[in-house]
């Protein structure tokens, strides 16, 4: 199992996406080298507190590549120190990025990629067709706010992202993209997934937002889109080499309260640090991610982690946080949650109250998913390809937040 | 052309995967470490040699143990996910 | 099910638990609020526990209090005694004087340093009163390095309790005798079985929630009780505690929230203190049994951990 350690290197981004959960993005909070170094020194000098076999050093923003010079310095220092300390993570580490892709082609980013090629995982977010992408992923307005808070403009970012996709896929042929679906995106799901396939992206990790944004009838519209998508994938033969995380054989089954009681979310098993040197159980608990609640800080780079504050995260299970309707649900498997969103939406300051805002959307997904697999397997049976398919086909990644 | 020639156990896979990761880590480290950092540079050079030897020893040991076929211009590859061994020519 | 209503009669009413009462200025509960809360308790079938300040209440208050069956929790004091026959007397630290009322349970609020220093006095007190509840007010600050000292203190107290047992007496010291008397958890259950009414007329999960943040209320007599996420206060929603057999632990939801930000999760410090008491109790039971037949139906198993968090993966 890998430890995920996230540097929130900046809270700035070129974009101001309309669905972005980062409500407090700004241009002021940029991580300094001194903070990054102190954090690294803390983590690497407390090896026994981090027994995980592997580590994923994750860089997030805002847009992380806005701070490529800092990231380059951080990664060099990490490599040197892990080696110098004979740290067990030197044998198993990755540098991971979720980027909007706008700066991907720049010499600074490309030099960094070349230097760290064997240890990189980079995901570029592209939401689908131009109209779907540009509905939400728009540039920010030039800021006039004294606190640097950003506002959306009308200018979409599709063209500036899509031009970098070929280079990205050349460097990372197996890379996947992350697509986020909000209420207004529903009509464009099918065209968007197919468009991403046409760009050469074989793995589309797609999920609906956890926030309570859903309108009456969205579930029916969602189901309809997924049915259309299912037909398109099967009739077009995309299922052989492409994957879309909406369709998974594992979802839509009842869950046993004892056997299937693990928490979905990895918050608490991860660690995030921000520009101020504050530590969080996941980025989603930093103040810029929260609408209603105060940040849940579990320590800082000077004093380290307050282990007592991790206890609720590490003892959290599915049953304890779920309402009865989820425990009784016959299609519960695959219904995800985000601990940060649960915390933000809860009636008290707790991570133990599961938000069920996606309930109807999950059920719609399950119905379309059932249709997808029944139709696909029937086709494969008739073509006598089922066994071969089950053995070789590209598996979807587990849902990601 | 790739031909599947056998399997290794998960433990054997873990061993070579760890060496593979270390070798990659060392070669990326070599891009940023200069001889003026004498102590660390010497440590790196020594480690690269040792890791390379262990890496080759693993293949030699496995090839002997499982009697894998080889060719003059071919080399063996492993799929870390499936533990399958291929001869690539 | 709610069973008790704790009424803090004044802002300076004595604290009988972990949290200090920071209020220094007297402010009596409004007489109307007191009447309404008594009426509420009658309608909800709640047993009332009146918590007194260290001064005599006006007669009109005593008259209203007298309209309902209740228990009186009073501070230790040599001055004006607020009630003649209290049900619980609270000592805030050791006074050096002997208790007057020998048949009444006493609460001793004491710091760990105070306990470490005055273990003999605490042992003596145990022999003098019907029951002694020792409340360590800074339990959350105990370090692993201090645990051997705590064990030593408990061992000293256990020797005294053992000697009393062997002479046919039945002393009650919560830290050492409660666990062997219990056959199921006996937690505080604030917000589940009891609720507190503060002098401002509002409900709180317990007095500590009022002391630390008056805005942190859960309704009022007029508006009704409004506990959000009440399930999280119950044992079945406490992932560590529901597996634990340290039944005498208070499972203090206020301390839980203070230390871990969650009412249903105890801190390491709370767990190791309670487990140290459990272990000393287990050994005390065995020691007494070496000399006499004693509570043969009770079994406290030997365990090899002091914090259930460390063995959570085994559940």
């Amino acid at each position: 199992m890998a430890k995920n350690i996230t540097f929130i290197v900046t809270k700035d981004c070129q974009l101001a996406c309309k669905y972005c959960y980062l409500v407090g993005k700004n241009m002021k909070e940029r991580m300094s080298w001194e903070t990054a170094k102190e954090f690294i020194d803390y983590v690497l000098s407390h090896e026994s507190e981090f027994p995980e076999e592997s580590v994923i050093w994750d860089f997030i923003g805002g847009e992380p590549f806005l701070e490529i010079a800092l990231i380059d310095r951080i990664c060099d220092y990490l490599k040197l120190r892990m080696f110098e300390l004979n740290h067990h993570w030197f044998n198993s580490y990755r540098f991971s990025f979720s980027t909007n892709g706008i700066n991907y082609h720049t010499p600074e980013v490309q030099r960094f990629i070349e230097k760290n090629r064997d240890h990189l995982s980079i995901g570029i977010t592209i939401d689908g067709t131009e109209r779907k992408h540009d509905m939400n992923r728009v540039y920010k307005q030039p800021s006039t706010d004294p606190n640097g808070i950003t506002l959306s403009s009308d200018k979409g970012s599709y063209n500036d992202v899509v031009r970098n996709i070929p280079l990205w896929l050349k460097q990372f042929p197996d890379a996947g993209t992350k697509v986020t679906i909000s209420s207004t995106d529903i009509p464009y799901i099918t065209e968007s997934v197919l468009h991403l396939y046409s760009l050469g992206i074989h793995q589309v990790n797609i999920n609906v937002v956890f926030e309570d944004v859903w309108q009456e009838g969205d579930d029916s519209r969602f189901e309809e889109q997924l049915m259309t998508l299912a037909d398109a994938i099967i009739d077009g033969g995309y299922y052989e080499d492409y994957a879309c995380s909406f369709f998974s054989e594992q979802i839509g089954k009842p869950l046993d309260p004892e056997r299937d009681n693990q928490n979905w979310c990895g918050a608490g098993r991860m660690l995030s640090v921000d520009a101020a040197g504050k530590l969080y159980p996941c980025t989603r608990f930093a103040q810029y991610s929260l609408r209603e609640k105060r940040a849940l800080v579990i320590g800082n780079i000077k004093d380290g982690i307050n282990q007592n504050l991790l206890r609720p995260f590490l003892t959290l299970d599915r049953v304890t946080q779920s309402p009865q309707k989820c425990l009784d649900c016959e299609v519960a498997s695959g219904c995800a949650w985000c601990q940060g969103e649960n915390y933000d939406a809860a009636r008290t300051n707790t991570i133990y109250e599961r938000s069920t805002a996606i309930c109807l959307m999950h059920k719609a997904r399950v119905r379309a998913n059932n249709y997808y697999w029944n139709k696909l397997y029937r086709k494969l049976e008739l073509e006598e390809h089922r066994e071969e398919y089950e053995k070789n086909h590209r598996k979807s990644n587990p849902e990601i937040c | 052309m790739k031909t599947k020639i056998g399997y290794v156990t998960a433990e054997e896979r873990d061993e070579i995967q760890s060496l593979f990761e270390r070798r990659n880590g060392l070669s990326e480290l070599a891009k940023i470490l200069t001889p003026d950092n004498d102590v660390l540079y010497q440590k790196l050079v020594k480690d690269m040699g040792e890791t390379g030897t262990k890496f080759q020893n693993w293949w030699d040991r496995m090839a002997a143990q499982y009697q894998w076929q080889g060719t003059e211009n071919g080399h063996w590859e492993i799929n870390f996910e499936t533990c399958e061994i291929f001869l690539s020519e | 099910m709610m069973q008790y209503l704790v009424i803090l009669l004044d802002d300076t009413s004595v604290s009988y638990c972990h949290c200090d009462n920071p209020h220094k200025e007297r402010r009596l509960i409004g007489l109307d609020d007191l009447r309404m809360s008594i009426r509420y308790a009658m309608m909800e079938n709640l047993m009332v526990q009146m918590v007194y300040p260290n001064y005599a209440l006006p007669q009109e208050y005593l008259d209203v209090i007298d309209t309902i069956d209740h228990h009186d929790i009073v501070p230790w004091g040599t001055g004006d005694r607020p009630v003649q026959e209290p049900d619980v007397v609270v000592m805030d630290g050791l006074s050096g004087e002997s208790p007057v009322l020998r048949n009444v349970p006493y609460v001793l609020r004491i710091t760990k340093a105070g306990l470490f220093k005055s273990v003999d006095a605490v042992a003596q007190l145990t022999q003098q009163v019907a029951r002694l509840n020792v409340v360590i007010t800074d339990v959350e600050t105990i370090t692993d390095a201090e645990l051997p000292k705590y064990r030593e203190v408990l061992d000293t107290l256990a020797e005294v309790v053992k000697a009393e047992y062997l002479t046919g007496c039945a002393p009650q010291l919560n830290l050492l005798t409660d666990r062997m008397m219990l056959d199921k958890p006996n937690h505080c259950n604030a917000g589940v079985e009891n609720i507190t009414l503060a002098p401002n007329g509002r409900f709180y999960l317990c007095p500590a929630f009022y002391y630390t943040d008056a805005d942190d209320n859960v309704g009022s007599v007029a508006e009704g009780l409004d506990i959000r996420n009440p399930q999280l206060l119950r044992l079945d929603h406490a992932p560590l505690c529901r597996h634990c057999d340290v039944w005498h632990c208070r499972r203090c939801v206020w301390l839980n929230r203070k230390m871990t930000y969650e009412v249903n999760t105890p801190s390491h410090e709370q767990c190791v203190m309670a487990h140290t008491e459990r272990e000393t109790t287990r050994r005390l039971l065995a020691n007494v049994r070496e000399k006499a037949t004693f509570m043969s139906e009770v079994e406290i198993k030997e365990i090899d951990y002091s914090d259930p968090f460390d063995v959570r993966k085994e559940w």
Side-chain angles (χ1 to χ4, degrees):
Chain A
M1 172 139 183
K3 181 83 180 176
N4 195 301
I5 299 181
T6 304
F7 293 83
I8 307 171
V9 287
T10 178
K11 290 178 185 168
D12 192 13
C13 182
Q14 305 97 320
L15 305 183
C17 302
K18 292 174 185 168
Y19 54 51
C20 183
Y21 66 87
L22 302 174
V23 290
K25 279 196 296 190
N26 64 76
M27 290 180 285
K28 287 164 68 174
E29 294 178 72
R30 299 170 60 202
M31 186 175 281
S32 69
W33 161 244
E34 289 71 26
T35 298
K37 179 178 179 298
E38 199 167 346
F39 175 64
I40 293 166
D41 289 341
Y42 164 73
V43 171
L44 295 183
S45 63
H46 289 76
E47 194 169 350
S48 62
E49 281 180 34
F50 302 97
E52 291 84 354
E53 229 172 85
S54 310
V55 64
I56 297 169
W57 302 104
D58 189 26
F59 297 87
I60 197 169
E63 165 52 35
F65 283 154
L66 287 177
E67 296 292 336
I68 188 64
L70 173 70
I71 289 169
D72 187 40
R73 196 170 176 189
I74 289 173
C75 292
D76 282 357
Y77 186 66
L78 279 168
K79 287 183 280 188
L80 280 168
R81 288 298 286 161
M82 286 192 294
F83 178 66
E84 195 172 7
L85 294 168
N86 298 317
H87 198 289
H88 72 280
W89 281 344
F90 185 77
N91 284 352
S92 192
Y93 68 92
R94 289 286 179 279
F95 300 128
S96 172
F97 299 83
S98 283
T99 172
N100 59 30
I102 293 171
N103 283 358
Y104 189 81
H105 64 290
T106 60
E108 295 82 4
V109 173
Q110 286 301 307
R111 262 198 306 275
F112 174 80
I113 290 171
E114 181 53 34
K115 198 164 137 184
N116 296 286
R117 188 71 169 263
D118 288 332
H119 289 92
L120 286 183
S121 159
I122 300 179
I124 291 182
T125 302
I126 179 165
D127 264 2
T129 54
E130 183 170 1
R131 64 172 174 170
K132 153 74 173 87
H133 183 96
D134 284 350
M135 267 174 55
N136 284 309
R137 300 188 68 78
V138 291
Y139 280 91
K140 71 180 178 190
Q141 288 179 18
S143 179
T144 49
D145 186 293
N147 294 317
I149 300 295
T150 55
L151 297 170
S152 301
S153 71
D154 293 331
K155 189 188 169 200
S157 60
Y158 177 83
N159 287 322
D160 294 328
V161 178
V162 79
R163 68 175 176 185
N164 285 328
I165 298 296
L167 174 61
W168 172 55
L169 290 176
K170 189 176 159 206
Q171 292 170 326
F172 302 98
D174 291 330
T177 193
K178 196 171 86 170
V179 179
T180 307
I181 302 297
S182 191
S183 180
T184 52
D185 305 312
I186 293 172
Y188 310 105
I189 292 172
T190 302
E191 65 174 43
S192 292
V193 172
L194 296 177
H195 179 67
L196 294 171
Y197 288 171
S198 76
L199 292 175
I201 300 169
H202 287 249
Q203 175 72 46
V204 177
N205 300 312
I206 186 165
N207 58 277
V208 296
V209 297
F210 292 109
E211 288 79 358
D212 191 7
V213 296
W214 305 107
Q215 311 288 322
E216 201 180 332
D218 274 353
D219 57 328
S220 305
R221 286 186 281 275
F222 183 54
E223 181 184 313
E224 200 179 308
Q225 273 293 310
L226 293 192
M227 298 285 279
T228 313
L229 178 61
D231 286 338
I233 290 175
I234 294 167
D235 298 343
Y238 291 109
Y239 55 86
E240 298 279 3
D241 293 319
Y242 295 83
C244 170
S245 62
F246 269 145
F247 301 119
S248 160
E249 288 174 280
Q250 314 306 321
I251 74 162
K253 298 173 175 61
L255 290 172
D256 182 89
E258 287 181 13
R259 220 178 33 248
D260 307 312
N261 195 20
Q262 63 278 19
N263 193 22
W264 179 279
C265 171
R269 290 174 178 81
M270 306 186 275
L271 179 64
S272 291
V273 61
D274 72 1
K278 290 179 184 165
L279 306 180
Y280 305 93
C282 155
T283 307
R284 195 62 173 72
F285 288 88
Q287 195 60 64
Y288 80 144
S289 306
L290 297 166
R291 302 177 306 274
E292 304 291 337
K293 298 278 166 51
R294 291 180 61 179
L296 203 160
V297 179
I298 57 164
N300 61 67
I301 52 175
K302 306 262 180 240
D303 305 319
I305 299 169
N306 179 343
Q307 297 293 337
N308 275 329
L309 298 179
L310 282 183
R311 288 163 75 97
F313 287 94
L314 301 180
T315 51
L316 190 55
D317 58 64
R318 182 180 68 87
V319 170
T320 307
Q321 67 186 301
S322 298
Q324 195 59 43
K325 71 169 181 177
C326 297
L327 303 181
D328 296 338
C329 180
E330 294 190 348
V331 293
S333 71
C335 184
W337 60 85
C338 161
Q339 225 61 58
E341 173 55 23
N342 286 359
Y343 172 68
D344 210 8
R347 289 166 294 174
T348 56
N349 289 336
T350 185
I351 58 169
Y352 276 82
E353 185 186 358
R354 178 173 165 187
S355 164
T356 57
I358 64 162
C359 178
L360 292 178
M361 303 302 284
H362 173 71
K363 287 173 177 163
R365 177 190 171 198
V366 168
R367 290 191 293 272
N369 185 62
N370 291 342
Y371 169 80
Y372 175 88
W373 291 105
N374 280 313
K375 176 168 176 166
L376 176 60
Y377 279 138
R378 186 63 192 148
K379 181 183 184 205
L380 293 168
E381 289 278 359
L382 293 173
E383 294 170 357
E384 297 180 352
H385 286 148
R386 179 168 176 164
E387 202 176 317
E388 186 192 335
Y389 174 81
E390 285 186 18
K391 209 169 150 192
N392 297 324
H393 80 99
R394 175 182 276 265
K395 307 277 193 304
S396 271
N397 289 337
E399 202 149 345
I400 49 171
C401 63
Chain B
M1 193 183 85
K2 267 188 191 180
T3 318
K4 188 161 78 181
I5 54 169
Y7 288 93
V8 291
T9 65
E11 292 73 27
E12 288 160 349
R13 181 268 320 270
D14 291 346
E15 189 186 343
I16 193 66
Q17 190 166 14
S18 176
L19 288 167
F20 175 78
E21 287 285 336
R22 187 165 191 86
R23 199 177 64 163
N24 286 345
L26 292 168
S27 49
E28 284 187 352
L29 188 61
K31 293 179 191 169
I32 57 168
L33 198 56
T34 51
D36 52 319
N37 189 341
D38 187 48
V39 177
L40 219 49
Y41 190 77
Q42 292 304 327
K43 183 176 156 79
L44 171 69
V45 171
K46 185 166 172 267
D47 203 331
M48 285 179 99
E50 287 171 358
T51 303
T53 306
K54 284 181 196 166
F55 194 82
Q56 190 54 49
N57 286 348
W58 185 92
W59 283 107
D60 294 344
R61 204 170 71 237
M62 292 301 124
Q65 182 179 323
Y66 292 111
Q67 300 288 299
W68 291 333
Q69 64 186 62
T71 57
E72 198 174 329
N73 296 317
H75 65 273
W76 294 309
E77 285 177 9
I78 178 168
N79 180 329
F80 288 133
E81 277 179 29
T82 60
C83 298
E84 291 168 312
I85 304 294
F86 297 92
L87 174 64
S88 186
E89 292 173 291
Chain C
M1 185 182 163
M2 207 58 83
Q3 295 172 43
Y4 302 98
L5 175 64
V6 177
I7 299 178
L8 304 179
L9 292 166
D10 187 274
D11 261 354
T12 61
S13 285
V14 66
S15 169
Y16 54 87
C17 215
H18 293 291
C19 185
D20 289 332
N21 180 354
H23 297 116
K24 304 290 177 225
E25 285 186 26
R26 293 177 181 179
R27 178 176 67 146
L28 271 169
I29 188 171
L31 209 50
D32 280 346
D33 282 337
L34 181 60
R35 282 197 194 96
M36 280 175 69
S37 61
I38 286 174
R39 185 182 150 87
Y40 177 85
M42 287 176 167
M43 292 168 70
E44 298 291 329
N45 269 335
L46 303 178
M47 168 57 76
V48 174
Q49 297 174 329
M50 300 287 183
V51 188
Y52 289 77
N54 198 5
Y55 68 90
L57 297 186
Q59 188 57 45
E60 54 189 343
Y61 276 77
L62 298 177
D63 291 344
V64 174
I65 290 169
D66 223 18
T67 60
I68 189 167
D69 247 4
H70 64 276
H71 290 132
D72 294 319
I73 300 173
V74 305
W76 165 284
T78 53
D80 295 332
R81 211 168 268 295
V83 288
Q84 289 301 315
E85 292 174 4
D87 297 287
V88 176
V89 177
V90 182
M91 305 169 74
D92 210 353
L94 288 160
S95 70
E97 294 173 42
S98 294
V100 180
L101 304 164
R102 303 233 163 184
N103 295 322
V104 173
Y106 277 67
V107 171
L108 170 63
R109 298 183 73 246
I110 192 165
T111 61
K112 64 184 185 210
L115 177 63
F116 293 173
K117 195 172 116 192
S118 309
V119 60
D120 293 338
V122 175
Q124 193 180 16
L125 199 55
T126 307
Q127 295 166 294
Q128 291 171 332
V129 298
R131 172 179 171 80
L132 183 63
N133 265 5
V134 174
V135 176
I136 301 171
T137 52
D138 52 359
V139 60
E140 69 272 28
T141 66
I142 194 98
T143 62
D144 287 346
E146 288 172 318
L147 281 178
K149 181 64 189 170
Y150 188 50
R151 262 181 231 119
E152 202 180 294
V153 163
L154 290 176
D155 284 342
T156 304
L157 294 171
E159 279 304 310
V160 173
V161 171
K162 178 184 156 189
E164 289 283 303
Y165 277 144
L166 293 176
T167 56
C169 298
Q172 286 191 42
L173 173 63
N174 64 327
L175 304 178
L176 294 176
T177 62
D178 280 6
R179 176 58 186 82
M180 63 175 88
M181 301 294 172
L182 292 167
D183 57 7
K184 61 181 181 188
N186 183 39
H187 305 141
C188 166
N189 286 331
V192 179
E193 292 181 349
N194 62 82
I195 200 76
T196 293
L197 188 84
N200 63 2
R202 303 204 72 85
F203 287 124
Y204 294 85
L205 293 181
C206 81
F209 285 89
Y210 173 60
Y211 298 153
T212 43
D213 180 5
D215 290 336
D216 197 2
N217 64 75
V218 288
S220 66
V221 175
E223 297 157 4
L225 199 54
D226 177 24
I227 301 177
R228 294 176 181 187
N229 283 324
Q231 77 283 2
L232 297 181
L233 301 167
R234 297 197 318 251
L235 179 60
D236 62 350
H237 276 66
L240 286 173
C241 305
R242 67 185 173 218
H243 295 283
C244 182
D245 78 342
V246 182
W247 293 329
H248 74 287
C249 170
R250 304 311 295 147
R251 199 169 71 81
C252 173
V253 294
W254 175 78
L255 260 183
N256 288 355
R257 204 185 66 174
K258 179 182 175 186
M259 298 296 285
T260 69
Y261 296 170
E262 292 288 347
V263 290
N264 65 351
T265 312
S267 64
H268 171 73
E269 290 80 356
Q270 291 159 263
C271 287
V272 294
M273 288 285 274
H275 277 75
T276 305
E277 293 151 15
R278 179 197 182 278
E279 171 59 13
T280 311
T281 303
R282 189 189 66 77
R283 283 189 282 108
L284 168 63
L285 197 57
N287 288 342
V288 175
R289 282 176 181 162
E290 280 177 12
K291 307 281 182 190
T293 305
F294 184 70
M295 303 186 76
S296 50
E297 73 288 358
V298 174
E299 191 197 359
I300 303 175
K301 285 185 183 153
E302 188 167 7
I303 52 179
D304 58 2
Y305 59 88
S306 59
D307 183 351
F309 182 79
D310 297 336
V311 293
R312 66 191 185 280
K313 287 183 181 134
E314 291 169 23
W315 296 329

